[in-house]
Amino acid sequence: MNVLSTARGAALLAGLAGFTIVLSAAQQPAGQSQARSPAQADAGRAAYDASCSGCHLRDLKGANEAPQLAGPNFLNQWGDKTVGDLHAYLMSSMPPTNPGAPGSEAMMDIVAYLLQANGAAARRQPLASETALTVRAAIGTPGASGGPPVPAAQRGAGGDAAPVAPARRGLTVRGEVKNFVPVTDEMLRKPDPGDWLMFRGNYQGWSYSPLKEITKQNVSDLELAWVWAMAEGGANQSHPLVHDGILYLLNPNNIVQALDARTGNLIWEQRAGPEQRAGYGGLRSFSIAQDKILFAASDARMVALDARTGRLVWETRVGDPAQGHFATSGSIAINGKVLQGLSGCARFNGLGCWISAVDIATGKPAWKFNTIAQEGTPGGDTWGTLSNMFRAGGETWIAGSYDPALNLTYWGTAQAKPWVPASRGLTVLDKVLYTGSTLALNPDTGKLVWYFQHAPAESLDLDEVFERVLVDIGDQKVVFSAGKAGILWKLDRRTGKYLDHKETVFQNVWERVDPKTGTPEYRSDIIEMKIGQWVASCPSTEGGKNWQAMSYNPEAGVVVLPLSQSCMEMRARQVEFKEGSGGTAADRRFFEMPGSNGNVGKLAAYDVKTLQEVWSHEQRATYLTGVLSTAGEIAFVGDLDRSFRAHDVRTGKVLWQTRLGTSVQGFPISFSAGGHQYIAVTTGLGGGSPRNVPETISPEIEYPSTGQALYVFRLREKK
């Protein structure tokens, strides 16, 4: 099927952050060989730092979906296009949340700075948007520099360029949580129904509350109890923790606050620094254990705070920002250790990528498991003849789940980098372990017990990294997961044996899934995908399912998934194989999914025994929160269009809704304080494909560009 022939599809193709539009190169005028004026490039650096460095980084080496902007990979992409083409592209597409926002003059300054960073010499006259000189000629050399010079005074820890704002601010509001009760391992295994002690509510990752004061009959009486403004800047995709009536809140920019959960009054605030990169890198979760708040800071540290006072207890480096490492996974506390994943593993540096554990009491590293199989280790031969230097990807950017009875922790892994096998010098026969997999690890040692690879040789940026949900169905112990391909997977969590799967949205990536082994098979044109060739597929990198977590509701016996319906074309780029290169190396264009009738958002429930779809609710706006379900048989979810709704978990019927200040984004929770049940959810901005793709295919949905906050609801008091 040619998905590009669907209605409205071709008209909706556009470029986004790090995504390239195909532009035609104009003829180079004779005699021009220099490309920028010093003053213009200096102004461009300031504009770049303000508008672009959050995604592409201050050293221009890129991260996630944002490509490198200095070096041979930049020239491969832009060398034969004109300076004017580059300016036009940036004005139409950058930054993705507000294209052209710096203004035409400032954007041309940014172009001048990019050319300088790639080795261009100075010229007397500033560049202009009508400049027809090609980028390669403007630079004036066949090669490119490794990035801009960064003054030593502007360098941060690990060699990464430091942000303009102070790196640390410390304990900015002092206070104390009275009568604090330490959180024991037993409390984590069997949480108090009124607490919310971890990401997704319990070790099993259910995103479920056993509280049932709020029911299908009275949910229409929900009203706002209080609201707390959160830090602006940086993606907001977090959730609160609640223990004994105290709510702990993780803000962008590595800010943690303790508030009275009933009133919203602030008790203490810790600004652990540094300032967070604005484009991606949402701090998705954190933990409480013993007497500590534990969070994975954006610069790849694990940080422990005193839960009573917010005082910094210890901090441990788990990755290297100079290598592009950062953290979004959050953490999970298990048996006296705190585990976290790692992001930013797309560069060629020979290090691989890993899940790591730190001792909670001391802050000392305990173990790490490398998700990229190295030469001479089990799975190492699945990377063909590539040396360790050129094996990249395998990020773990969502925290795992845990089965105390089996003493196994379950994590998903991202795809290999670059995205397309042809760009990484491999074929689809090279499985590239342990990417695109579920990993079952012993949390005490980090030893791999089993793995299941959902996407061998993943080729289209369709992660399988998301939450693992653990459910007992009679005597059967199951782990559910769903990735960007939109397939709901059902595995035996003792052994990793494939049990079943269900396609939740239209997909044409996999021609079939082997009914015995669960091994998927690509379409033939994806198998043969070459550098420079566009290939269409559904879903897009927005993902049929992305980081927004599903919920298991034991009363109804269903998992409820927030889904997205969009498609794309992808084109692989050539990558230079040398240390420091790498990246994602592909261009994308997006369009609506066939059969969706323009509905990007889909909320659907599936029977955990049969995987049959029980109900679905489709709408134009994409869902940007995880699902929270409750013992009151309600499922709460929020969307891009600022709506936060309660659905009947058995039928999908909308029971209540409200409109919030900006897009609703994060992970809703429920807790009790003062004898009443509360529902809390964050509004937020920033993020990758789940936000940027809807900007292309549903641009009419408007929302304020500020307004990150925590909203807390409870039932209206009867008079």
Side-chain angles (χ1 to χ4, degrees):
M1 175 179 182
N2 182 1
V3 293
L4 287 177
S5 65
T6 60
R8 305 172 64 188
L12 294 167
L13 302 178
L16 298 174
F19 313 157
T20 303
I21 300 174
V22 181
L23 298 172
S24 59
Q27 293 295 316
Q28 175 191 342
Q32 295 191 23
S33 61
Q34 296 179 317
R36 50 93 192 176
S37 72
Q40 188 179 31
D42 290 345
R45 174 164 194 154
Y48 175 89
D49 286 348
S51 299
C52 312
S53 64
C55 298
H56 296 274
L57 309 188
R58 297 201 52 202
D59 62 8
L60 285 81
K61 290 185 177 179
N64 284 349
E65 298 169 343
Q68 297 174 346
L69 297 180
N73 293 333
F74 174 78
L75 276 181
N76 286 341
Q77 184 179 359
W78 284 102
D80 296 326
K81 301 178 178 67
T82 70
V83 171
D85 285 340
L86 179 56
H87 176 264
Y89 167 69
L90 295 176
M91 285 299 297
S92 68
S93 305
M94 298 294 136
T97 54
N98 193 10
S104 181
E105 182 176 351
M107 200 69 87
M108 184 51 66
D109 294 343
I110 290 172
V111 170
Y113 169 60
L114 295 182
L115 297 179
Q116 177 200 54
N118 281 277
R123 55 177 286 167
R124 293 182 180 179
Q125 297 299 318
L127 294 168
S129 59
E130 62 271 17
T131 301
L133 191 67
T134 67
V135 168
R136 196 180 305 277
I139 291 171
T141 62
S145 75
V150 181
Q154 295 184 13
R155 290 193 177 274
D160 205 12
V164 175
R168 293 180 180 275
R169 298 177 180 176
L171 195 61
T172 51
V173 176
R174 296 178 182 272
E176 184 175 352
V177 174
K178 305 299 183 182
N179 304 313
F180 178 83
V181 177
V183 176
T184 65
D185 287 348
E186 183 62 24
M187 293 164 68
L188 291 174
R189 293 188 187 100
K190 297 179 180 179
D192 184 291
D195 283 353
W196 195 272
L197 298 180
M198 67 188 71
F199 191 25
R200 305 187 298 266
N202 61 10
Y203 272 143
Q204 292 74 27
W206 287 5
S207 299
Y208 163 83
S209 171
L211 299 176
K212 51 186 176 183
E213 178 190 358
I214 301 169
T215 67
K216 291 187 283 189
Q217 289 71 39
N218 64 21
V219 68
S220 60
D221 291 330
L222 275 184
E223 65 177 9
L224 185 66
W226 55 270
V227 63
W228 179 262
M230 298 176 67
E232 300 288 351
N236 193 25
Q237 300 172 355
S238 188
H239 69 93
L241 298 173
V242 179
H243 175 49
D244 265 358
I246 303 300
L247 184 146
Y248 298 94
L249 186 61
L250 180 59
N251 288 249
N253 298 315
N254 301 291
I255 300 169
V256 182
Q257 298 160 329
L259 303 99
D260 185 305
R262 185 176 57 85
T263 65
N265 292 334
L266 181 65
I267 300 170
W268 57 253
E269 176 183 88
Q270 169 68 248
R271 293 176 175 255
E275 296 297 306
Q276 187 181 333
R277 294 166 182 162
Y280 297 94
L283 304 177
R284 294 189 177 90
S285 77
F286 62 138
S287 303
I288 184 170
Q290 301 173 13
D291 58 351
K292 298 177 181 67
I293 299 296
L294 303 145
F295 76 97
S298 62
D299 62 343
R301 284 174 298 144
M302 178 57 70
V303 178
L305 307 178
D306 186 315
R308 297 179 180 89
T309 66
R311 178 180 61 88
L312 178 66
V313 179
W314 54 256
E315 55 186 337
T316 300
R317 177 72 65 193
V318 299
D320 185 356
Q323 295 292 343
H325 294 159
F326 59 99
T328 67
S329 72
S331 61
I332 180 171
I334 304 173
N335 299 340
K337 297 180 178 65
V338 59
L339 282 59
Q340 75 168 82
L342 188 65
S343 295
C345 303
R347 297 184 189 175
F348 293 157
N349 54 29
L351 299 175
C353 203
W354 50 85
I355 302 164
S356 57
V358 175
D359 185 277
I360 293 173
T362 66
K364 293 181 178 179
W367 56 258
K368 71 178 185 180
F369 175 82
N370 204 318
T371 60
I372 299 298
Q374 304 287 283
E375 295 174 275
T377 68
D381 58 353
T382 63
W383 288 80
T385 60
L386 289 181
S387 69
N388 289 339
M389 177 59 66
F390 304 118
R391 302 181 181 199
E395 292 87 350
T396 46
W397 51 275
I398 297 289
S401 303
Y402 175 56
D403 183 335
L406 297 177
N407 196 32
L408 292 176
T409 181
Y410 303 88
W411 292 68
T413 59
Q415 71 291 89
K417 306 296 188 304
W419 285 331
V420 179
S423 296
R424 53 185 185 251
L426 299 173
T427 74
V428 294
L429 298 178
D430 301 301
K431 295 181 178 181
V432 292
L433 288 173
Y434 295 96
T435 66
S437 299
T438 294
L439 305 180
L441 305 177
N442 181 308
D444 302 321
T445 65
K447 180 180 178 181
L448 178 66
V449 177
W450 60 256
Y451 74 91
F452 178 88
Q453 194 171 35
H454 304 273
E458 202 290 306
S459 305
L460 295 164
D461 182 29
L462 300 180
D463 293 42
E464 294 285 342
V465 74
F466 312 115
E467 73 280 0
R468 268 52 187 169
V469 178
L470 315 182
V471 177
D472 291 345
I473 306 173
D475 294 333
Q476 192 176 54
K477 292 184 177 294
V478 171
V479 51
F480 287 102
S481 67
K484 286 187 183 179
I487 293 178
L488 177 62
W489 297 94
K490 184 178 183 180
L491 306 178
D492 185 311
R493 72 174 184 268
R494 293 187 185 94
T495 65
K497 180 182 178 182
Y498 165 79
L499 299 174
D500 202 357
H501 75 280
K502 175 71 174 180
E503 296 184 12
T504 62
V505 298
F506 171 70
Q507 73 86 19
N508 61 7
V509 173
W510 306 110
E511 285 195 335
R512 66 184 292 271
V513 174
D514 187 292
K516 292 184 179 180
T517 67
T519 303
E521 297 177 9
Y522 276 117
R523 285 178 4 219
S524 59
D525 59 330
I526 296 174
I527 293 173
E528 297 164 1
M529 198 168 174
K530 294 178 176 60
I531 301 294
Q533 176 186 25
W534 288 103
V535 172
S537 62
C538 299
S540 78
T541 55
E542 178 186 18
K545 166 75 172 61
N546 208 297
W547 60 261
Q548 305 93 310
M550 72 178 90
S551 175
Y552 169 59
N553 187 271
E555 283 78 21
V558 297
V559 284
V560 185
L561 281 68
L563 303 165
S564 298
Q565 302 181 121
S566 62
C567 300
M568 68 177 178
E569 283 189 307
M570 180 176 281
R571 179 178 64 180
R573 296 200 300 266
Q574 189 72 44
V575 173
E576 184 184 39
F577 278 76
K578 76 171 188 176
E579 185 174 359
S581 184
T584 53
D587 309 321
R588 290 170 291 178
R589 317 191 285 203
F590 302 98
F591 52 96
E592 292 177 356
M593 180 173 284
S596 68
N597 197 30
N599 291 313
V600 184
K602 177 181 178 180
L603 185 71
Y606 298 88
D607 186 288
V608 295
K609 294 180 180 178
T610 66
L611 294 191
Q612 293 304 303
E613 187 175 282
V614 177
W615 56 262
S616 69
H617 177 90
E618 298 188 22
Q619 61 178 44
R620 180 67 168 160
T622 191
Y623 293 102
L624 287 177
T625 73
V627 177
L628 166 72
S629 73
T630 71
E633 300 192 4
I634 302 167
F636 292 92
V637 68
D639 67 30
L640 179 69
D641 201 25
R642 303 189 290 122
S643 290
F644 184 52
R645 295 187 180 88
H647 293 257
D648 186 317
V649 81
R650 294 186 182 272
T651 67
K653 179 182 177 182
V654 177
L655 304 172
W656 168 87
Q657 62 183 9
T658 189
R659 208 88 182 276
L660 303 184
T662 190
S663 49
V664 193
Q665 178 168 277
F667 299 88
I669 73 164
S670 185
F671 63 90
S672 63
H676 295 285
Q677 181 182 0
Y678 291 79
I679 305 294
V681 69
T682 54
T683 51
L685 302 160
S689 292
R691 295 196 67 101
N692 295 335
V693 175
E695 293 284 346
T696 303
I697 63 178
S698 54
E700 77 282 0
I701 296 177
E702 301 283 353
Y703 51 85
S705 59
T706 59
Q708 301 194 146
L710 174 70
Y711 291 79
V712 181
F713 301 89
R714 56 161 290 183
L715 291 174
R716 185 179 301 113
E717 293 192 48
K718 304 295 184 182
K719 294 182 179 180

